[in-house]
């Protein structure tokens, strides 16, 4: 007998998810994706070919190739003075699986999880899949240090078991400094709340000192579940590889159980290529950072000239998250921009209530594409200024 029933958890996921697919049209200029247009560095591609030729085509071990885990912990230990061991690292199917495995491993139905508003929209979905309740605490640009303290106090008051944060922040490009993270650690000192820190954009920070990795904050370490991905750092979105570092053996064991159930193991040849990515990072990342930096300056300059628009300069990642002063919800405006002007951005509401009346533009596109999209956007805002009341 055919049945239309599906799992309640999926129904719930659909209800809470704000991750809408973009409506398309043939001549659409896409400025919505968090997807680097730059090529994966040549040494990584070469290492992949070599790995396949050498027969790295079989199962890996559950937590991942030992050599890759060693390279990753040595890299972290060298750069941030930590003392992680390879046994405290799990290779995951991208950052998404690192985050979702952690959620499924640590959250029970009804548990409260706290995140910043706005934040990467996957947290909402991962928590929903696990049956938890996501509590979003607004953190305004420029208020990151006090915002994190407030968020920690709220997590304690609500008896939350887990805090999920990204730094730099998707969508705003805001960053948490060392002082802000120290403040978070201080507030949590007497609690047993775990902190998932997702540093997908760690390599792309445009102002010295604005960002600190959670790995460099000793007081956070015992509660830290550090999630990282090769996707953004090395322009490797399609390779699907990321990792978790944590000294929390209880969490680690639980995450590994979820990971093994979902993935068994991760692509072996990709893990060989990932070793090359880490080993050559000093030769490849600076050029990508310069490239994004040029685009960032250009895009900020152009958006600043749009009527009724304002934003705080993003210090990291590759997005400009701008607020508009017109009385139209961001999902509706996104649709109108696609249908009437042929340019796609992401609606701010996807990232939390505080993201309403914002749009996220991604500058992971060539300057020509950016300019063509920005021309359309500028025209749209000139028309909005003339036709839509201010909010
Ligand atoms: C903050 C953040 N974390 C994690 C991810 C997921 O990365 P991956 O492609 O490795 O799953 C993204 C992707 O947009 C992101 O913005």
């Amino acid at each position: 007998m055919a049945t239309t029933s599906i799992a309640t958890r999926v129904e719930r996921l659909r209800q809470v998810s704000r991750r809408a697919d973009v409506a398309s049209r043939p001549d659409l200029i896409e400025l919505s994706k968090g997807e680097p247009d730059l090529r994966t560095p040549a040494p990584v591609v070469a290492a992949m070919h070599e790995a396949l030729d050498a027969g790295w085509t079989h199962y890996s071990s559950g937590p991942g190739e030992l050599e890759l885990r060693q390279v990753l912990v040595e890299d972290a230990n060298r750069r941030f003075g930590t003392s992680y061991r390879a046994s405290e690292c799990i290779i995951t199917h991208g950052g998404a699986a690192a985050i979702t495995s952690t959620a499924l491993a640590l959250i029970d139905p009804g548990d409260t999880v706290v995140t910043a508003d706005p934040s990467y929209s996957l947290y909402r979905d991962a928590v929903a899949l696990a049956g938890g309740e996501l509590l979003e605490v607004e953190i305004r640009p420029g208020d990151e240090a006090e915002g994190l303290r407030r968020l920690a106090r709220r997590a304690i008051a609500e008896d939350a078991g887990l805090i999920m944060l990204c730094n730099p922040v998707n969508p705003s490009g805001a960053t948490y400094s060392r002082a802000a993270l120290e403040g978070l650690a201080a507030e949590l000192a007497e609690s047993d709340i775990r902190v998932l820190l997702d540093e997908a954009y760690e390599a792309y920070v445009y102002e010295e000192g604005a960002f600190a990795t959670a790995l460099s904050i000793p007081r956070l370490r015992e509660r830290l579940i550090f999630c990282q991905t090769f996707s953004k750092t090395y322009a490797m979105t399609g390779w699907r590889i990321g990792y978790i570092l944590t000294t929390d053996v209880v969490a680690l064991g639980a995450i590994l159980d979820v990971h093994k159930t979902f993935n068994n193991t991760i692509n072996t040849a990709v893990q060989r290529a990932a070793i090359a990515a880490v080993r050559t990072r000093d030769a490849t990342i600076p050029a990508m950072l310069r490239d994004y930096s040029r685009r960032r300056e250009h895009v900020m300059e152009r958006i600043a000239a749009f009527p009724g628009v304002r934003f705080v300069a993003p210090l990291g990642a590759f997005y400009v998250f701008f607020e508009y002063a017109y009385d139209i919800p961001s999902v509706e405006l996104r649709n109108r921009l696609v249908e009437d002007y042929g340019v796609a951005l992401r609606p701010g509401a996807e990232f939390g209530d505080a993201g309403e009346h914002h749009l996220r533009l991604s500058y992971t596109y060539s300057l020509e594409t950016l300019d063509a999209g920005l021309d359309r956007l500028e025209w749209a805002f000139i028309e909005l200024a003339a036709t839509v009341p201010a909010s």
Side-chain angles (χ1 to χ4, degrees):
M1 189 193 81
T3 170
T4 54
S5 73
I6 57 165
T8 312
R9 77 178 70 81
V10 176
E11 278 172 355
R12 208 174 113 80
L13 173 65
R14 288 178 181 171
Q15 265 165 22
V16 309
S17 181
R18 296 181 173 189
R19 309 178 87 209
D21 285 334
V22 180
S24 198
R25 50 172 258 187
D27 60 344
L28 186 70
I29 299 178
E30 259 294 350
L31 301 180
S32 73
K33 292 185 181 159
E35 156 91 75
D37 64 323
L38 305 175
R39 292 182 78 93
T40 301
V44 184
V45 177
M48 179 73 173
H49 285 296
E50 277 165 31
L52 289 171
D53 288 342
W56 290 90
T57 55
H58 297 277
Y59 284 137
S60 175
S61 76
E65 289 297 307
L66 181 59
E67 191 179 337
L68 173 57
R69 290 184 289 133
Q70 264 160 350
V71 165
L72 287 169
V73 299
E74 276 161 21
D75 180 62
N77 295 345
R78 177 180 59 83
R79 290 199 291 142
F80 309 120
T82 50
S83 48
Y84 283 100
R85 292 171 299 182
S87 57
E88 294 164 334
C89 177
I90 303 173
I91 309 301
T92 59
H93 192 78
I99 294 159
T100 307
S101 308
T102 302
L104 290 173
L106 303 182
I107 302 167
D108 264 330
D111 282 357
T112 300
V113 177
V114 179
T115 191
D117 182 3
S119 261
Y120 179 37
S121 45
L122 180 71
Y123 306 152
R124 166 176 283 273
D125 293 23
V127 170
L129 197 60
E133 302 293 334
L134 187 70
L135 185 91
E136 295 165 318
V137 176
E138 181 174 357
I139 299 187
R140 289 186 167 276
D143 185 37
E144 283 76 23
E146 183 43 38
L148 276 191
R149 280 190 176 269
R150 212 168 359 97
L151 181 145
R153 290 195 293 267
R154 192 73 196 281
I156 293 167
E158 300 289 338
D159 203 18
L162 182 67
I163 291 172
M164 286 176 146
L165 295 170
C166 45
N167 186 26
V169 178
N170 174 8
S172 64
T175 50
Y176 301 123
S177 64
R178 166 171 297 281
L181 293 170
E182 296 277 12
L184 174 73
E187 292 288 343
L188 294 176
E190 303 300 320
S191 82
D192 54 10
I193 300 174
R194 291 182 168 112
V195 177
L196 178 158
L197 246 150
D198 165 9
E199 296 187 3
Y201 302 93
E202 170 258 340
Y204 299 107
V205 174
Y206 308 96
E207 198 176 289
E208 190 106 15
F211 162 90
T213 170
L215 294 176
S216 67
I217 313 290
R219 289 180 72 191
L220 266 184
R221 197 148 312 141
E222 61 178 352
R223 64 183 74 252
L224 179 65
I225 302 185
F226 175 80
C227 292
Q228 188 52 287
T229 170
F230 285 71
S231 291
K232 322 284 176 171
T233 312
Y234 302 101
M236 287 174 67
T237 42
W239 300 61
R240 309 310 304 139
I241 183 161
Y243 60 97
I244 288 172
L245 288 178
T246 183
T247 56
D248 178 339
V249 286
V250 175
L252 189 91
I255 294 167
L256 197 52
D257 284 337
V258 175
H259 164 77
K260 282 191 299 191
T261 310
F262 261 87
N263 300 304
N264 189 0
T265 72
I266 301 301
N267 317 272
T268 326
V270 171
Q271 293 188 63
R272 302 302 303 170
I275 294 173
V278 181
R279 288 204 170 127
T280 56
R281 67 171 284 146
D282 293 346
T284 58
I285 291 178
M288 295 199 269
L289 178 62
R290 279 196 298 277
D291 208 325
Y292 290 137
S293 190
R294 271 195 298 274
R295 300 178 193 190
R296 170 180 173 271
E297 291 291 333
H298 181 69
V299 167
M300 286 199 301
E301 203 180 304
R302 288 216 49 190
I303 296 180
F306 294 178
V309 160
R310 62 176 186 179
F311 61 88
V312 174
L315 299 176
F318 32 60
Y319 308 112
V320 177
F321 195 55
F322 59 90
E323 190 175 3
Y324 54 85
Y326 305 105
D327 191 15
I328 173 170
S330 59
V331 172
E332 205 179 310
L333 181 54
R334 184 275 312 264
N335 291 343
R336 202 190 276 195
L337 289 171
V338 170
E339 283 154 27
D340 299 347
Y341 299 91
V343 58
L345 279 75
R346 276 196 118 83
E350 172 180 331
F351 305 98
D353 291 343
E356 189 47 282
H357 291 103
H358 288 70
L359 292 167
R360 190 196 76 177
L361 179 144
S362 168
Y363 50 87
T364 54
Y365 300 88
S366 69
L367 280 174
E368 295 71 43
T369 305
L370 286 167
D371 266 331
L374 286 160
D375 287 347
R376 292 183 181 189
L377 208 55
E378 183 166 25
W379 183 237
F381 275 97
I382 289 168
E383 293 202 333
L384 275 174
T387 54
V388 179
S391 58

